[in-house]
């Protein structure tokens, strides 16, 4: 009897000690540092094109999209609880019955292992707050924290956090991310079998990853469906249909980056403004049109391949190109391609590379002349001149035309159409280099030299920056700032950044039209003939720098403009036959032909502004304005049409 009394006393003391120790732990654990009081997981930011198509996902370490509890399908909740924690809504964070079953396993193993018994609440605690070690001490702490979590949050909040936090394999964090990644579906579009695959993943994400181990994943999902059927949560027909289903699983990259040069530029632009750009769950809407982006990529590649065909000795490690497509009316950047192959080189030549524009810069000089009252029919001397010491090192500079011929006195329209260097130089000298420089600065050009070299475009500018100035022709005197980004929306749906169209007037409408018309003649009858596309008016200008270092074509339609550049990254010359006319103009034609198939209703003809008049000069019909009338010598004005 005495022995029994001692034994019972010992048992009582043990119980009191355990209860006391548990109470001590429960009351002493500091919960202030635990995230279940304030849960702010890292969320991926998404970038969309102007039509709502996904351009890319960007994130830091964890790729995650958040979903609120009310947006979780009931079938998803049922499937999860069926396989992980059937009594979730009944327990207070710890399943006592399951613990006793686990304790028996512990005793049998001599305390070497810790298995089972975890509720969903405990699993969340284990994954967010504790180390992965399997010890009694950690398990006890896990249970106590689970109790505290249940006192702090309701069941719905716990489920919401669990399903948004947990890892589903393949780099997907959170059930919404996994649904979009594996099945390209929103949660409410999932079949029961797809749901079963997802809820079966957290137990062993790598082992059950359906992109790598589909059979294992299907087997695990069938166990989930079987469990739901055994519990009476689904009908026999639902069970049979689900068991027989083999879902289509996609093996997508996490970023799904379809326009890497664009994405790099967006990150570069927004990073200083949004410190949590890659973790704040933003939606970034662009002006980029992914269809146009693909057209530009393909066209640029086409031109590159043609260069390689012509020049078997081309240095493929340095030869590259860039292309920018802009809506010149509103500044929307529809496409931006910074190179032929991003995987080989992520250097963005459309934004980072400053190249000499060569003769593609000439239209701005002719715009200055027209704005000063020159007519498109004004004559300029296309004759050679020697500039003593103009080449530096006391060497004389003797500029030449591309064909090394001279044309005597020719009109401004003829000079621009044939891209005559000598006529352009003499025009600049007639205007005055100081005046030319001042006018260019007023247009917005920066770092342009205040000497004669500016006439032939001997300064550096990126294709994107150059596209800004080219908007003045298609937009009739107004320069529009190109914008890649439209707006940024935070995870609450609030627009926090918006990029509005900034523009300024650089010329009168009718004066800019005169230069546009001369550029139209460049394509119809001049160096830009290789850019012609039937059924649409095109204006443009070629550009080739010394020794074929740079090859440009800047083309304008009534709706858009496209600037194309090719050259070597190390500034070494391409083959001497390469140039704006042969190398870049055909790329514009290739691009525009595809563009018109996609957009058959695109505007085909340029509008004529008020103030532009048409008359006959030397037997040809030409445009003029009150500010830029035909020259007085030898005109023949047979008719006059006012617009």
């Amino acid at each position: 009897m005495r022995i029994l009394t001692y034994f019972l006393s010992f048992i009582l003391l043990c119980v009191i000690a355990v209860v006391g120790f548990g109470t001590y732990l429960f009351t002493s654990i500091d919960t202030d540092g635990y995230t279940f009081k304030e849960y702010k997981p890292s969320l991926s930011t998404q970038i969309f094109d102007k039509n709502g198509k996904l351009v890319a996902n960007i994130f830091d370490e964890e790729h995650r999209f958040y979903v609120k509890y009310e947006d979780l399908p009931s079938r998803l909740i049922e499937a999860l609880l069926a396989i992980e924690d059937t009594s979730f809504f009944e327990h207070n964070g710890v399943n006592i019955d399951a613990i006793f079953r686990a304790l028996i396993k512990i005793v049998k193993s001599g305390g070497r292992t810790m298995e089972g018994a975890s509720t969903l609440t405990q699993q969340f605690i284990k994954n967010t707050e504790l180390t992965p070690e399997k010890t009694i001490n950690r398990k006890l702490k896990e249970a106590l924290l689970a109790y505290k979590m249940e006192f702090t949050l309701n069941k719905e909040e716990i489920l919401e956090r669990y399903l948004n936090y947990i890892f589903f394999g393949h780099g997907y964090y959170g059930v919404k991310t996994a649904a979009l990644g594996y099945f390209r579906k929103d949660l409410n579009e999932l079949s029961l079998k797809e749901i079963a695959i997802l809820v079966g993943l957290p137990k062993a994400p790598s082992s059950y990853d359906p992109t790598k181990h589909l059979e294992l994943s299907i087997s695990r999902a069938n166990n989930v469906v079987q469990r739901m059927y055994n519990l009476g949560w689904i009908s026999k027909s639902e069970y049979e249909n689900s068991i027989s289903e083999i879902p289509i699983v996609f093996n997508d990259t996490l970023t799904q980056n379809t326009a890497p040069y664009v994405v790099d530029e967006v990150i570069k632009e927004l990073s200083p403004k949004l410190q949590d750009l890659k973790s704040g769950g933003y939606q970034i809407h662009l002006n980029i049109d992914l269809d146009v982006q693909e057209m530009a990529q393909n066209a640029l590649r086409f031109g590159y391949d043609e260069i390689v065909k012509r020049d078997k000795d081309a240095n493929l490690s340095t030869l590259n190109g860039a292309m920018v497509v802009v809506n010149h009316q509103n500044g929307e950047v529809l496409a931006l391609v910074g190179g032929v192959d991003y995987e080989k080189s992520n250097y963005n030549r459309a934004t980072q590379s400053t190249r000499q524009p060569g003769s593609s810069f000439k239209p701005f000089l002719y715009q200055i002349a027209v704005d000063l009252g020159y007519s498109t029919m004004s004559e300029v001397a296309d004759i050679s001149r020697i500039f003593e010491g103009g080449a530096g090192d006391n060497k004389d500079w003797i500029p030449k035309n591309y064909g090394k011929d001279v044309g005597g006195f020719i009109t401004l329209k003829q000079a621009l159409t044939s891209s005559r260097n000598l006529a352009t130089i003499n025009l600049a000298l007639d205007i005055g280099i100081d005046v030319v420089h001042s006018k260019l600065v007023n247009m917005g050009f920066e770092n342009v030299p205040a000497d004669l070299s500016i006439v032939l475009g001997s300064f550096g500018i990126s294709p994107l920056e150059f596209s800004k100035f080219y908007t003045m022709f298609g937009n009739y005197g107004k320069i529009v700032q190109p914008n890649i980004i439209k707006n940024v929306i935070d995870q609450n749906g609030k627009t926090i950044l918006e990029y509005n169209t900034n523009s300024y007037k650089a010329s009168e409408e009718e004066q800019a039209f005169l230069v546009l018309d001369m550029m139209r003649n460049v394509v119809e009858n001049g160096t830009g003939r290789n850019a012609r596309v039937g059924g649409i008016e095109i204006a443009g200008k070629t550009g080739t720098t010394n020794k074929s270092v740079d090859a440009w074509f800047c083309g304008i339609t009534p709706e858009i403009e496209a600037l194309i550049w090719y050259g070597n990254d190390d500034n070494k010359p391409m083959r001497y036959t390469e140039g704006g006319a042969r190398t870049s103009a055909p790329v514009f034609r290739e691009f525009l032909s595809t563009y018109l198939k996609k957009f058959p209703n695109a505007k085909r003809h340029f509008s004529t502004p008020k103030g532009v008049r048409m008359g006959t000069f030397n037997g040809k019909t030409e445009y003029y304005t009150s500010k830029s009338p035909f020259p007085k010598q030898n005109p023949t004005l047979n008719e006059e049409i006012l617009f």
Side-chain angles (χ1 to χ4, degrees):
M1 187 68 181
R2 183 174 294 180
I3 294 175
L4 179 60
T5 301
Y6 286 149
F7 177 74
L8 292 175
S9 299
F10 175 75
I11 294 297
L12 181 61
L13 288 172
C14 288
V15 171
I16 293 172
V18 170
V19 172
F21 181 64
T23 303
Y24 165 75
L25 287 175
F26 186 76
T27 56
S28 63
I29 291 176
D30 178 16
T31 60
D32 289 341
Y34 294 103
T35 56
F36 60 75
K37 295 199 71 175
E38 186 177 353
Y39 183 53
K40 292 184 178 180
S42 174
L43 301 180
S44 299
T45 288
Q46 290 190 291
I47 303 174
F48 299 94
D49 83 339
K50 67 179 304 177
N51 300 311
K53 295 180 181 178
L54 179 66
V55 177
N57 301 313
I58 58 175
F59 50 88
D60 282 329
E61 296 181 0
E62 297 181 355
H63 176 34
R64 177 186 287 107
F65 301 126
Y66 200 87
V67 57
K68 294 182 179 180
Y69 180 81
E70 54 264 30
D71 296 322
L72 292 169
S74 57
R75 272 285 185 254
L76 175 65
I77 301 297
E78 292 169 356
L80 175 67
L81 299 186
I83 198 67
E84 293 290 349
D85 192 353
T86 308
S87 60
F88 174 76
F89 283 99
E90 283 74 49
H91 63 64
N92 291 319
V94 178
N95 189 327
I96 301 299
D97 293 338
I99 288 178
F100 276 114
R101 291 194 297 269
L103 285 174
I104 293 173
K105 293 183 180 180
I106 293 172
V107 172
K108 289 182 177 180
S109 67
R112 292 186 298 272
T113 62
M114 193 69 186
E115 299 182 15
S118 290
T119 64
L120 281 177
T121 311
Q122 288 174 274
Q123 290 181 38
F124 184 72
I125 290 293
K126 178 178 65 177
N127 284 285
T128 58
E129 309 297 347
L130 303 175
T131 60
E133 60 180 343
K134 293 184 177 182
T135 64
I136 293 178
N137 184 56
R138 188 201 62 78
K139 194 68 178 178
L140 180 59
K141 190 173 184 180
E142 173 190 300
L144 294 172
L145 282 172
Y147 271 120
K148 286 223 167 185
M149 172 174 274
E150 295 267 353
F151 281 125
T152 306
L153 305 173
N154 61 41
K155 292 290 186 178
E156 290 77 10
E157 289 172 327
I158 294 171
L159 279 173
E160 178 179 318
R161 296 185 184 202
Y162 176 88
L163 284 168
N164 279 293
Y165 177 84
I166 207 71
F167 180 56
F168 285 84
H170 205 70
Y172 302 136
Y173 288 84
V175 70
K176 180 178 180 179
T177 321
L180 291 170
Y182 287 126
F183 306 117
R184 296 181 185 172
K185 293 181 179 181
D186 288 322
L187 291 172
N188 59 3
E189 300 173 318
L190 296 174
S191 69
L192 177 58
K193 188 59 164 286
E194 290 166 339
I195 286 173
I197 289 176
L198 293 181
V199 300
L201 281 167
K203 183 178 180 180
S206 298
S207 299
Y208 294 128
D209 183 341
T211 65
K212 299 176 182 177
H213 312 290
L214 183 58
E215 290 186 5
L216 283 175
S217 182
I218 292 292
S219 177
R220 170 71 169 163
N222 286 341
N223 290 338
V224 175
V225 176
Q226 181 71 58
R227 175 67 172 160
M228 295 180 74
Y229 180 63
N230 292 343
L231 290 169
W233 292 358
I234 58 174
S235 66
K236 185 177 181 180
S237 61
E238 287 178 302
Y239 165 77
E240 292 175 345
N241 291 336
S242 185
I243 289 293
S244 63
E245 180 187 352
I246 306 295
I248 297 174
V249 178
F250 297 92
N251 189 10
D252 290 336
T253 61
L254 300 185
T255 61
Q256 297 188 47
N257 193 338
T258 56
Y261 287 111
V262 172
V263 172
D264 284 356
E265 193 62 24
V266 170
I267 292 173
K268 179 183 175 183
E269 168 68 25
L270 292 179
S271 290
K273 301 175 182 178
L274 299 171
Q275 298 302 313
D276 61 342
L277 175 62
K278 295 184 179 181
S279 61
Y282 299 102
Q283 288 193 359
I284 302 169
H285 296 272
L286 308 182
N287 293 315
I288 295 289
D289 185 321
L290 281 181
D291 291 333
V292 180
Q293 178 77 13
E294 183 179 8
M295 297 175 201
Q297 289 172 340
N298 293 339
L300 191 70
R301 183 74 201 194
F302 160 79
Y304 175 87
D305 290 341
E306 291 298 306
I307 297 173
V308 174
K309 287 179 186 178
R310 291 190 292 265
D311 184 5
K312 303 301 182 183
D313 297 323
N315 188 343
L316 302 186
S317 64
T318 61
L319 178 65
N320 226 299
M323 186 169 176
V324 178
V325 182
V326 178
N327 181 322
H328 47 61
Q329 298 299 298
N330 56 25
E332 291 181 352
V333 178
L334 303 176
L336 184 143
V337 187
V340 175
D341 189 339
Y342 183 86
E343 292 185 1
K344 291 183 179 179
S345 172
N346 60 15
Y347 178 62
N348 195 332
R349 294 154 191 85
T351 61
Q352 296 174 282
S353 181
T354 54
R355 307 293 297 219
Q356 292 190 10
S359 293
S360 64
F361 183 69
K362 287 176 181 175
F364 299 97
L365 175 64
Y366 283 74
Q367 186 67 62
I368 291 171
V370 168
D371 288 345
L372 290 172
Y374 284 76
S375 167
T376 60
M377 296 294 103
S378 296
E379 291 189 335
V380 62
D382 185 43
I383 57 176
S384 181
R385 302 180 66 163
I386 298 175
F387 298 90
E388 297 181 356
D393 298 328
N394 295 319
K395 294 182 179 179
D396 295 339
W397 179 42
I398 309 176
K400 299 178 181 178
N401 287 325
Y402 182 74
K404 297 183 180 180
D405 60 334
V406 293
F409 283 94
I410 60 176
T411 66
L412 264 60
K413 188 172 185 178
Q414 291 172 326
L416 188 60
T417 298
S418 301
S419 196
R420 308 293 286 187
N421 291 337
L422 297 177
T424 305
I425 290 171
N426 288 322
L427 174 63
L429 290 172
D430 188 42
I431 296 172
I433 295 300
D434 56 336
V435 175
V436 170
H437 183 266
S438 175
K439 296 292 185 182
L440 290 173
V441 172
N442 289 340
M443 283 184 188
F445 284 101
E446 298 178 351
N447 303 317
V448 289
D451 56 46
L452 199 57
S453 65
I454 188 58
V455 175
L456 303 182
S458 60
F459 68 101
I461 193 168
S462 73
L464 180 61
E465 178 71 6
F466 204 26
S467 73
K468 177 182 79 173
F469 295 103
Y470 255 85
T471 61
M472 75 176 295
F473 302 116
N475 208 18
Y476 301 143
K478 185 185 293 184
I479 293 177
V480 183
Q481 177 67 45
N483 283 327
I484 298 173
I485 304 170
K486 182 179 181 181
N487 59 39
V488 180
I489 300 173
D490 67 15
Q491 56 184 290
N492 297 316
K494 180 182 178 182
T495 300
I496 58 172
L497 287 175
E498 192 160 11
Y499 287 74
N500 298 314
T501 301
N502 295 319
S503 61
Y504 56 93
K505 186 176 179 180
S507 176
E508 299 294 334
E509 287 188 9
E510 61 272 21
Q511 298 304 109
F513 177 82
L514 294 180
V515 178
L516 179 71
D517 179 59
M518 288 195 286
M519 294 170 66
R520 185 164 47 185
N521 199 51
V522 170
V523 175
E524 292 174 355
N525 302 301
T527 59
R529 287 188 295 270
N530 286 334
R532 287 182 297 189
V533 175
I536 187 170
E537 292 184 336
I538 301 168
K541 186 66 187 76
T542 56
T544 308
T545 58
N546 284 342
K547 299 182 179 180
S548 298
V549 171
D550 303 277
W552 293 80
F553 182 75
C554 306
I556 306 167
T557 77
E559 284 188 358
I560 62 171
E561 65 183 44
L563 278 69
I564 299 116
W565 166 87
Y566 287 98
N568 286 304
D569 288 335
D570 58 5
N571 282 294
K572 290 185 178 179
M574 294 182 288
R575 193 165 184 258
Y576 71 94
T577 55
E578 302 300 334
R582 185 176 192 183
T583 308
S584 300
V587 174
F588 182 87
R589 180 183 62 217
E590 180 76 11
F591 165 77
L592 187 59
S593 298
T594 307
Y595 180 90
L596 292 176
K597 290 177 183 177
K598 175 68 178 179
F599 304 104
N601 296 323
K603 188 176 180 181
R604 304 293 178 116
H605 301 282
F606 291 107
S607 301
T608 307
K610 292 181 179 180
V612 175
R613 302 171 182 178
M614 184 180 289
T616 303
F617 184 85
N618 286 344
K620 293 183 178 180
T621 302
E622 303 290 350
Y623 291 105
Y624 69 98
T625 66
S626 58
K627 189 173 185 177
S628 297
F630 289 142
K632 293 181 180 180
Q633 53 269 46
N634 302 322
T636 305
L637 284 172
N638 296 327
E639 59 178 334
E640 181 176 296
I641 304 173
L642 299 180
F643 290 88

